[in-house]
């Protein structure tokens, strides 16, 4: 998973063509920490997507722009345009995330 360190790096990633999954997260988020151990497996099972970790606290302006009100949140982009969003108040698990990605293929 790519973890951009600044806006320029993130912007260059978002300008690329293809499909990307933005994973909005934060270090203090318990549900985010729950998901992180199985994210490498999800990433390996879905090579058609580029996974980008967006630190909610480091990119707060982007979080506001994308209307991210809860974390973890997953936004699926295709060629820079949002085509899907997986947000819920409940803790997400590997099967739910995988089902979301499968539905978007």
């Amino acid at each position: 998973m790519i973890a951009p360190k600044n806006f320029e790096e993130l912007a260059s990633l978002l300008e690329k063509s293809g499909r990307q999954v933005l994973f909005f997260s934060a270090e203090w988020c318990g549900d985010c920490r729950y998901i992180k151990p199985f994210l490498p497996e999800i990433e390996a099972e879905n090579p058609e997507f580029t996974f980008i970790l967006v630190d909610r606290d480091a990119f707060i302006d982007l979080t506001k722009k994308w209307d991210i009100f809860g974390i973890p949140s997953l936004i699926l982009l295709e060629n820079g345009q949002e085509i899907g969003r997986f947000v819920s108040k409940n803790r997400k698990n590997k099967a739910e995330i995988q089902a979301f990605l499968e539905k978007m293929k």
Side-chain angles (χ1 to χ4, degrees):
M1 184 169 296
I2 302 168
K5 295 179 182 19
N6 55 50
F7 281 105
E8 293 78 19
E9 189 178 343
L10 180 58
S12 73
L13 290 167
L14 296 178
E15 290 172 358
K16 293 183 180 180
S17 62
R19 295 180 135 204
Q20 301 157 325
V21 177
L22 303 180
F23 174 63
F24 286 86
S25 180
E27 286 298 318
W28 51 264
C29 169
D31 287 346
C32 302
R33 286 194 305 267
Y34 173 78
I35 291 173
K36 280 188 180 180
F38 55 81
L39 283 176
E41 294 173 33
I42 291 172
E43 192 171 2
E45 293 169 7
N46 297 280
E48 63 275 14
F49 299 111
T50 300
F51 289 79
I52 302 170
L53 176 64
V54 182
D55 183 319
R56 176 224 175 259
D57 295 333
F59 295 98
I60 195 72
D61 291 337
L62 182 68
T63 302
K64 290 177 186 175
K65 178 182 175 189
W66 284 89
D67 294 324
I68 304 297
F69 298 110
I71 53 173
S73 291
L74 290 93
I75 307 292
L76 181 58
L77 306 176
E78 184 167 20
N79 300 323
Q81 300 297 313
E82 181 177 339
I83 61 169
R85 184 178 285 239
F86 183 30
V87 180
S88 73
K89 65 179 181 170
N90 299 323
R91 177 175 275 183
K92 297 160 190 66
N93 61 43
K94 181 182 176 188
E96 291 171 328
I97 294 171
Q98 188 62 37
F100 164 72
L101 294 174
E102 287 292 326
K103 180 175 74 171
M104 302 308 296
K105 288 184 180 180

